[in-house]
Amino acid sequence: MTKIFDFKKEINSEELKQAAKSIRNGNLVIFPTETVYGIGANALNYKAVDNIFLAKGRANDNPLIVHIADFDMLDDLVDNISPLEKKLMDAFMPGPFTLILKKKDIIPNNVSANLDTVGIRMPANKIAHDFIKEANIPIAAPSANISSRPSGTNIEDIKEEFNNKVDIIIDGGDTSVGLESTVVKVIDGVPTILRPGKITPEDIIEIIGICKLSDNLFKKADGIVESPGMKYKHYAPNNKCILIYSEDENKLIDLVQKNIKSKTLIIGNEKHKDKYDSYKYLSYGITLDDISHNIFSLLRKADKYEPDLIIIEGVKKEGLGIAIMNRLIRASSYNYIEE
Ligand code: TXA
Ligand code: MG
């Protein structure tokens, strides 16, 4: 039976020790981070890491991110850190940021899906930090969701999928950012965003002066890609879904209205909640931060109304909007209308 530790108000140090011991011993533990919940295993234990892939139903060519508590843990795991990479880490770690680095042999091949690199992340969330510190091992953790489903950002969604599949779930309340970390790899001396997130291209340009976006952020990727995760169906509700956007607000409302069919559920801006004659309207809030925080749980909630169609209002692909649109385009399986 899965044990649930409630750390929402405060971290219980006895339970923290128990969770740390459990993961050290090879069990799976789900823990909160500032981005989304992670389903964690001892990153140095091949068998434990394998169990993550089984629990999620994840393709084994999709590598995992390794989480550390502080820079002391880094030296054992990676090699050849360049001054530019060091600068990125100093600027954005701890935080919602993952850097792809050259891995050392100590990291099992299932963590890195046989690549010679590994994603390193140092969460800023206090529970995540204290948990990794107490465990005193690097923790491999993908987002806590069954593969292809929206990432888990709250305890109810997590329990639905993982109750009795992991040893312990640590409840830290709703995650603050709501979208997974920005994944960056330095390619030919240029920081390149493989997966956009809360740390935006502008944030990176401010520190480094230059930043590229991977080609595949808004389209379907096939074959060999920089970030294998981009190939797969992801974030998807179970029902048919269309993403609609126009820079012109009236046009957007018009386009959404025109696409409504019977039993259509709309996920959109709080300001538009009375604009449509739809079966159901779920508001994702007003700001990009609201949307980022709410979107994954809303995609899951939408399914519960069993609509025939889900329409999602898109946002401008700018700042955090890049990350939001990257997830929404995949959630809607590339059914995207922009005018
Ligand atoms: O915010 C996050 O990053 C969350 C929390 C739990 O830390 N984790 C997360 O992990 O989102 P996951 O496994 O769901 O997504 C990891 C992404 C995938 O798209 C994967 O392909 C990419 O990072 N990735 C991991 N290692 C890589 C590597 N060595 N090279 C390129 N891409 C890599
Ligand atoms: Mg994921």
Side-chain angles (χ1 to χ4, degrees), residues 56 58 142-145 151 180 195 234-235:
K56 278 184 62 104
R58 182 176 174 111
S143 52
N145 55 276
S151 301
E180 310 86 343
R195 180 180 69 183
H234 213 332
Y235 317 114

Side-chain angles (χ1 to χ4, degrees), residues 35 58 62-63 65 67 117 121 142-143 180-181 195 226-227 229:
T35 56
R58 182 176 174 111
N62 193 2
I65 294 172
H67 297 67
T117 54
R121 165 151 144 72
S143 52
E180 310 86 343
S181 62
R195 180 180 69 183
E226 278 297 344
S227 185

Side-chain angles (χ1 to χ4, degrees), residues 86-98:
K86 173 89 174 52
K87 211 166 162 182
L88 284 166
M89 287 194 283
D90 286 341
F92 300 117
M93 289 184 186
F97 180 79
T98 296

Side-chain angles (χ1 to χ4, degrees), residues 62-63 193-196 214-222 224-235 326 330 334:
N62 193 2
I193 294 184
L194 306 185
R195 180 180 69 183
S214 154
D215 295 338
N216 292 314
L217 299 190
F218 305 113
K219 59 177 204 245
K220 200 167 173 155
D222 277 312
I224 297 175
V225 291
E226 278 297 344
S227 185
M230 294 194 291
K231 280 190 305 192
Y232 294 102
K233 184 177 161 88
H234 213 332
Y235 317 114
N326 168 267
R330 284 169 169 72
Y334 308 91

Side-chain angles (χ1 to χ4, degrees), residues 153 174-178 288-297:
T153 56
D174 293 1
T175 62
S176 61
V177 176
L288 294 179
D289 281 316
D290 294 340
I291 300 170
S292 158
H293 179 80
N294 293 324
I295 194 66
F296 285 147
S297 63

Side-chain angles (χ1 to χ4, degrees), residues 13 35 89 106 111 127-128 146 149-150 176 227 275 277 292 313:
S13 62
T35 56
M89 287 194 283
I106 190 173
V111 170
I127 298 172
I146 299 296
R149 299 275 297 149
S176 61
S227 185
K275 300 278 185 200
D277 26 1
S292 158
E313 290 185 347

